[in-house]
Amino acid sequence: MNIHEYQARELLIKFGVPVPAAIVVTNPMDAAKAFDKLVTRQHGGGMAVVKAQVHAGGRGKGGGVRMVRSSDEARKAATEILTRPLVTPQTPPEGVPVTKLMVAAGVEIAKEYYLAIAVDRKNSAPIIVASAEGGMDIEQVAREKPEAIIREPISPIAGLAPYQARKIAYRLGFKGQQVRMAGKIMHQLSDLFLKCDCSLAEINPLIVTKPTDEHPDGVVMAVDAKINFDENALIRQEDIRSLEDPTEVNADEAHASRFGLSYIKLDGSIGCLVNGAGLAMATMDIIKLHGGEPANFLDVGGSASEEAVTEAFRIILQDPKVNGVLVNIFGGIAKCDTIARAIVVAAKEVGFTVPLVVRLEGTNVEEARKILEEAKAEIPTMQIGGDLTEAAKMITAATAA
């Protein structure tokens, strides 16, 4: 699950990480008022930044991040961002609408760093990723200067050890009081990551401000943050679940999740209904192998009910690009005959006007095939595949005509 930057900053504040003051607004006049409030606060410095709040990276490249030095500039920047779709490398080509802005106090930056905690699946543990090359695409840094990336696994139980924080801080080049401040932020980020069941907690950039009389070594703080959460853990994270913005979630994906389905829309024309994520991936691969293009990833899970299968068909068929559907079920926990009956009921309720190819294997498969054979007259577009290769060839041939 993703959240907005302003929400990520609020979580950082909750765990003690220092961030510049910010105000969330929804219209240009409030953006101007926010600027006036912020420049009088600490770190204001007579400038602020207006940021689009959408679930996409690369906002600056798309014009969704603007530096402003007056309330009038803030109003104009807000008007421009709110009145046109934001197009970035991580949005669809047509862009996404912007309905919220964050106006944040500007800071005088002396140096930028990158700091994140992610899940290292190879070592089955969280890992800190840090670099003195902050403010840039970390993927680009990893490709061009891999030696600039620091990686440090941490305990999923105990979190980050003090010696690890000091070691990373020194390797990043922090000096004097900066070492203590940076180490503290690393501990706070580790605490947030573990307690909130994060899959990613990223600060980019982590900055050091320019020296002042009060802070001769500057202040280490977070300027931008991105936090993602493990959806499987949301059952114990009700406060986190409440942060989800339904306007940022694909309507079909949200519809699917209400029925226990995992659905992701793709660009092809052959709809897929499969039980099991691995089998779904293999099904999409074999469709492409035989010249077709999958229209979706859809996993109905191991215990699909008639209601869930019906909704799965409904979601697939409302995509205007879909001109055929392949059902690929390996019966285990969900028996094949149960799935077959669900397919028949769903096909009657939803109605099929496009080719339907069904491949079943596993528990009670013979009874399932009998059910489907008896339903052929009622579902004239249905064909039954003997194995996955045959089924893929049948659906690609049927949709190529």
Side-chain angles (χ1 to χ4, degrees):
M1 189 189 93
N2 300 331
I3 59 174
H4 289 294
E5 179 192 359
Y6 77 87
Q7 296 169 313
R9 288 164 59 102
E10 289 169 359
L11 276 175
L12 290 179
I13 293 169
K14 179 180 178 181
F15 281 83
V17 178
V19 299
I23 299 171
V24 178
V25 300
T26 58
N27 63 73
M29 292 306 298
D30 284 345
K33 293 176 183 177
F35 178 91
D36 288 335
K37 290 180 181 178
L38 291 167
V39 295
T40 62
R41 297 183 184 180
Q42 187 179 9
H43 307 303
M47 64 177 178
V49 59
V50 179
K51 292 185 171 184
Q53 297 299 286
V54 296
H55 290 177
R59 291 170 296 167
K61 297 176 182 178
V65 178
R66 309 283 183 90
M67 294 297 300
V68 295
R69 296 186 177 276
S70 69
S71 58
D72 190 52
E73 286 185 13
R75 179 184 57 78
K76 290 178 180 178
T79 300
E80 292 178 7
I81 296 173
L82 289 168
T83 55
R84 66 184 65 171
L86 179 64
V87 180
T88 82
Q90 295 185 21
T91 66
E94 67 275 14
V96 295
V98 180
T99 59
K100 291 180 183 177
L101 302 172
M102 184 181 72
V103 184
V107 290
E108 295 290 339
I109 299 174
K111 171 68 176 170
E112 297 183 347
Y113 302 83
Y114 177 90
L115 178 66
I117 302 179
V119 176
D120 182 356
R121 299 190 184 281
K122 182 178 180 181
N123 294 309
S124 301
I127 185 170
I128 280 192
V129 180
S131 175
E133 305 283 339
M136 298 174 60
D137 293 332
I138 197 65
E139 295 84 359
Q140 180 183 344
V141 175
R143 285 193 305 269
E144 298 176 359
K145 297 176 63 178
E147 71 279 2
I149 305 295
I150 299 169
R151 296 177 176 86
E152 181 77 18
I154 64 177
S155 168
I157 305 299
L160 182 69
Y163 81 89
Q164 291 179 299
R166 289 193 297 271
K167 178 175 69 173
I168 295 168
Y170 282 122
R171 287 185 64 187
L172 288 171
F174 287 110
K175 299 176 182 180
Q177 291 299 312
Q178 297 172 2
V179 174
R180 178 188 59 80
M181 290 185 281
K184 185 177 181 181
I185 289 173
M186 291 179 207
H187 281 291
Q188 292 161 333
L189 192 65
S190 170
D191 197 27
L192 186 161
F193 184 91
L194 295 174
K195 288 184 178 178
C196 294
D197 290 309
C198 299
S199 56
L200 173 69
E202 177 186 81
I203 298 173
N204 188 26
L206 178 73
I207 67 152
V208 176
T209 64
K210 291 184 177 180
T212 63
D213 291 339
E214 185 180 359
H215 300 286
D217 290 330
V219 176
V220 183
M221 61 169 52
V223 171
D224 196 347
K226 178 180 180 181
I227 303 178
N228 297 343
F229 304 92
D230 183 348
E231 292 186 358
N232 295 311
L234 292 180
I235 190 171
R236 63 185 185 191
Q237 297 285 354
E238 286 302 318
D239 289 346
I240 299 298
R241 185 193 293 271
S242 68
L243 299 178
E244 185 174 41
D245 182 350
T247 66
E248 292 282 348
V249 180
N250 178 277
D252 289 334
E253 291 179 18
H255 180 184
S257 67
R258 291 197 294 272
F259 291 87
L261 308 170
S262 297
Y263 172 85
I264 299 173
K265 187 180 183 306
L266 302 174
D267 294 329
S269 60
I270 298 176
C272 305
L273 190 155
V274 190
N275 66 327
L279 188 59
M281 297 295 287
T283 302
M284 292 190 294
D285 285 345
I286 202 164
I287 286 173
K288 289 183 70 69
L289 179 65
H290 292 288
E293 289 291 336
N296 64 269
F297 169 101
L298 197 154
D299 174 14
V300 298
S303 55
S305 63
E306 286 187 10
E307 182 183 32
V309 173
T310 299
E311 291 304 318
F313 277 125
R314 204 184 307 278
I315 292 168
I316 291 171
L317 292 173
Q318 70 186 15
D319 181 351
K321 291 184 178 179
V322 169
N323 61 11
V325 179
L326 173 60
V327 176
N328 182 25
I329 299 291
F330 188 88
I333 298 174
K335 297 179 176 61
C336 287
D337 58 322
T338 301
I339 295 293
R341 292 188 186 94
I343 290 171
V344 173
V345 171
K348 290 177 180 177
E349 282 195 29
V350 178
F352 271 92
T353 57
V354 299
L356 167 67
V357 175
V358 180
R359 179 261 183 174
L360 299 173
E361 195 57 75
T363 308
N364 294 352
V365 67
E366 294 303 326
E367 184 178 349
R369 288 173 179 163
K370 183 179 178 181
I371 292 169
L372 293 179
E373 286 289 345
E374 292 174 351
K376 273 188 173 181
E378 300 173 83
I379 315 173
T381 65
M382 181 175 66
Q383 301 178 70
I384 301 172
D387 57 34
L388 181 52
T389 297
E390 180 185 359
K393 289 180 179 179
M394 289 169 71
I395 193 62
T396 53
T399 54

